[in-house]
Amino acid sequence: MTLLRKEGFCAGIVLLALGMAGCRSTDHCCPAPYSAAPTNQTSAGANNPVDRASSSGASGTVAGLPSISSSTGGQAAGKTGHLTAARPLATSPLESAESNRMRTASYRLPAPAPSDASLASDALFAGQAELSLAQLVEQVQNRNPSLQAMAYAWRAAAQRYPQAVSLDDPMFMTMMAPASFGSSRVESAYVLQGSQKLPWFGKRQTRGQVAQAEAGAAFQDVQDTRLQIVQVTRLAFYDYYLAERQLEINEQNRQSAQEFRDTAQVKYENNQVEQQDVIQADVELADIRRRKIEVGRTRRVAVARINVLLLRTPDDPLPPSPESLAPGFELPPADSLRQTAMARRPDLAALAARVRSEQAAVDLALKQYYPDAEVFGRYDSFWQPASTQSDLRGQVGVNMNVPIYRRRLNAAVSESQFRLSQRRAEYQQRLVEIQYEVQAAYEQVEEARQTVELYTNQYLPFAEQNLALARANYDVGKTTYLNLVIAQRQLFAVRETYEQTLTDFYRRIADIERAIGGTLSEPGRPEDLPLPSAQ
């Protein structure tokens, strides 16, 4: 070993340098922490939600996504942060460079959803006077297993970056001649070698850009799933509201029909009308009871739908719905909504991220024309004897691949370019579809709003006035019971249709908010996005 220390000094230095390079490779490649972008950040999808990291004990959460945490311990807990999803169309995401970087990330995922066996009643809404839409949406998001699955997929994608930019593990090789040990004729013969593979300049960074863009796309997929869940939940809530209002209208209709029946009975007993009026009243009451059965079934289905979204048993009780949904919502202009959608739609941002990923893949394929190197240091005691050959035992060298098979390399470049063209075409097609979706949803909201105003200002007042006149005329014998029944049917049909139209208005609002990628309260402002914490 004295000989090794003396004659292998150069090789020892090389081995030590290789070991240090391998251990520190990830630290050198990982970028400095990314600072949160302002809300007017340009370029659709340019903000990557996995660009910035803090320690694993921290969490950054925003309403609408389940909170996420690491399962492993960490340092410096308690850090939080937000990124914005601002993506104005002033700069195309196809033209913006991938300047942001990403570090390892870990998340606190929501508690596991209960299994089928554990679906049971809970005290989620105990003591509440009415069902809150905001609370319902929050609870559904926290419990939804699809959103949890997407969050896990995002978490997995975020871990690809440190793998992509890392150096390969250093290699250590040893070899010996067993017969030389203890021999009196030759010295002990052995070889010690350490090596490290070094990709061509920029290859690791480009691989990191591919992984970073894919992680960004995975995050936008989480956002898109969240929007879908919010929309489905709101539609279920409005179905529940409509069923309860229809039950109330049915009860009011029954009470009114019973009063008319009592009036007809008195008139019949006093020989003022025929018995047919009483029988007609009984027929009308029977039809109202039939309608109650139908609406009751609709309500039970709506309750089951909400409970399933909450992972509860379908027949668990719910608080009553709000007594009314006040109209009077004014939409921004359609052009403004289209611009907002193109800046905020997560599915469009996901496609933009995949375009950036394919662009980085093209760059990586072009870099394959350049060779990779493998440096090594070796101490070889097979040189004999030590008295004359000791200076030759410490050795350094380089292995290098020679990329001469250009047909394979050219095909790889062509493949990546075709995939890039495919992603760009998909992005452009989705852009056109989003503009259509927003315009169609806008027209539906306007139609529903105008219809609600028509029922409020004309249909309901006229129907109420018509029934009042029919009732007064029947009491004094100026009209028939059939006319009274027709007026009653018209009024309660108008009331049911009004509630149906009002509910449709709010359904269309849910559709247009899904189409623009967020709420209408501040259409020009992007939503905050949750920030993962570093591991």
Side-chain angles (χ1 to χ4, degrees):
M1 297 309 295
T2 302
L3 183 62
L4 174 63
R5 288 194 299 268
K6 178 179 177 182
E7 300 180 352
F9 178 75
C10 179
I13 292 297
V14 172
L15 291 175
L16 179 60
L18 290 176
M20 294 178 63
C23 294
R24 294 168 56 90
S25 61
T26 302
D27 292 338
H28 287 316
C29 298
C30 291
Y34 171 79
S35 58
T39 57
N40 62 349
Q41 184 77 18
T42 60
S43 175
N47 286 333
N48 195 320
V50 287
D51 286 341
R52 180 182 167 189
S54 49
S55 32
S56 64
S59 65
T61 59
V62 169
L65 270 183
S67 52
I68 298 182
S69 80
S70 170
S71 60
T72 61
Q75 303 172 355
K79 298 181 182 178
T80 58
H82 294 82
L83 292 181
T84 61
R87 294 180 293 276
L89 297 182
T91 302
S92 170
L94 306 182
E95 301 171 356
S96 62
E98 183 66 39
S99 59
N100 297 334
R101 296 175 180 251
M102 177 184 65
R103 302 185 71 174
T104 57
S106 61
Y107 322 93
R108 182 176 66 246
L109 290 163
S115 62
D116 294 340
S118 64
L119 290 177
S121 299
D122 54 34
L124 179 61
F125 302 109
Q128 293 191 7
E130 66 179 28
L131 183 62
S132 167
L133 176 58
Q135 181 190 12
L136 177 62
V137 170
E138 179 184 1
Q139 290 297 328
V140 169
Q141 290 183 90
N142 290 339
R143 297 177 175 217
N144 187 270
S146 297
L147 193 58
Q148 294 179 19
M150 298 301 294
Y152 278 117
W154 169 36
R155 176 180 181 179
Q159 304 306 316
R160 295 175 190 157
Y161 179 85
Q163 302 176 62
V165 300
S166 175
L167 289 171
D168 291 342
D169 290 338
M171 299 294 293
F172 176 77
M173 186 273 288
T174 183
M175 181 177 65
M176 64 185 65
S180 66
F181 290 91
S183 173
S184 60
R185 301 176 58 187
V186 296
E187 294 188 8
S188 299
Y190 60 90
V191 174
L192 300 176
Q193 176 176 309
S195 62
Q196 174 68 62
K197 186 175 182 180
L198 301 175
W200 187 263
F201 304 104
K203 283 188 177 181
R204 288 191 298 147
Q205 179 184 3
T206 307
R207 287 199 297 263
Q209 291 173 356
V210 173
Q212 181 182 14
E214 289 297 330
F219 173 78
Q220 298 299 338
D221 290 339
V222 177
Q223 288 292 89
D224 192 55
T225 301
R226 180 185 67 83
L227 288 177
Q228 295 178 28
I229 292 171
V230 170
Q231 182 188 26
V232 169
T233 304
R234 293 178 64 180
L235 295 179
F237 174 85
Y238 294 137
D239 289 342
Y240 178 58
Y241 164 84
L242 178 60
E244 292 220 323
R245 297 293 77 74
Q246 288 178 336
L247 284 175
E248 290 180 359
I249 293 172
N250 182 270
E251 178 59 23
Q252 295 170 4
N253 194 10
R254 186 198 65 79
Q255 294 176 4
S256 180
Q258 185 63 49
E259 292 177 2
F260 295 162
R261 199 266 182 201
D262 295 341
T263 301
Q265 181 67 33
V266 171
K267 284 181 171 289
Y268 170 69
E269 292 174 354
N270 293 326
N271 294 322
Q272 295 178 354
V273 296
E274 299 294 333
Q275 187 180 11
Q276 183 181 4
D277 288 3
V278 179
I279 296 176
Q280 179 66 42
D282 289 335
V283 171
E284 191 67 19
L285 285 169
D287 186 65
I288 292 173
R289 286 192 289 270
R290 178 203 61 79
R291 176 60 178 162
K292 182 178 181 180
I293 294 173
E294 179 182 342
V295 176
R297 183 263 308 164
T298 302
R299 182 187 182 278
R300 290 190 296 273
V301 170
V303 169
R305 178 58 176 156
I306 292 176
N307 280 324
V308 168
L309 288 172
L310 291 168
L311 300 182
R312 306 166 81 211
T313 52
D315 56 352
D316 275 356
L318 293 175
S321 65
E323 295 183 358
S324 63
L325 297 175
F329 200 100
E330 185 175 353
L331 280 179
D335 181 67
S336 174
L337 292 175
R338 289 195 298 270
Q339 295 295 326
T340 301
M342 289 185 287
R344 297 174 64 179
R345 279 289 290 261
D347 52 344
L348 188 65
L351 283 174
R354 291 186 171 98
V355 169
R356 297 195 303 274
S357 173
E358 295 299 341
Q359 181 61 66
V362 171
D363 297 340
L364 184 60
L366 292 172
K367 291 182 183 298
Q368 298 305 320
Y369 286 97
Y370 300 96
D372 299 330
E374 182 183 12
V375 297
F376 65 88
R378 179 167 60 185
Y379 181 83
D380 187 351
S381 69
F382 275 81
W383 291 92
Q384 300 287 339
S387 59
T388 59
Q389 304 292 329
S390 60
D391 292 339
L392 302 179
R393 293 186 175 187
Q395 305 163 27
V396 293
V398 177
N399 290 325
M400 184 176 298
N401 67 307
V402 183
I404 60 175
Y405 300 110
R406 294 305 178 98
R407 184 176 180 181
R408 172 178 59 83
L409 298 174
N410 294 341
V413 172
S414 297
E415 177 187 2
S416 59
Q417 289 175 337
F418 289 142
R419 293 192 184 278
L420 174 60
S421 298
Q422 173 192 352
R423 292 300 188 187
R424 283 176 170 167
E426 291 174 351
Y427 178 88
Q428 295 298 331
Q429 179 62 33
R430 192 71 189 119
L431 197 63
V432 174
E433 292 174 353
I434 287 174
Q435 294 180 4
Y436 166 75
E437 290 174 8
V438 173
Q439 187 66 38
Y442 176 84
E443 297 298 338
Q444 291 174 346
V445 171
E446 279 297 300
E447 176 191 7
R449 181 186 62 80
Q450 295 175 17
T451 305
V452 169
E453 291 180 355
L454 181 63
Y455 272 88
T456 303
N457 300 329
Q458 297 185 34
Y459 269 14
L460 278 173
F462 291 158
E464 291 171 354
Q465 185 180 4
N466 184 44
L467 179 59
L469 291 175
R471 176 65 184 271
N473 289 334
Y474 182 75
D475 288 342
V476 297
K478 290 184 178 181
T479 189
T480 64
Y481 188 80
L482 181 59
N483 290 335
L484 178 61
V485 169
I486 292 174
Q488 180 195 18
R489 288 177 180 175
Q490 287 179 340
L491 173 61
F492 287 97
V494 167
R495 286 182 177 175
E496 279 200 2
T497 308
Y498 168 76
E499 292 295 343
Q500 176 72 51
T501 304
L502 181 61
T503 306
D504 285 343
F505 171 77
Y506 279 93
R507 287 189 182 118
R508 302 292 82 80
I509 291 293
D511 291 342
I512 200 170
E513 290 186 341
R514 169 67 180 91
I516 67 173
T519 62
L520 281 166
S521 56
E522 295 180 86
R525 178 182 177 183
E527 289 183 300
D528 287 336
L529 304 181
L531 177 69
S533 56
Q535 184 169 349

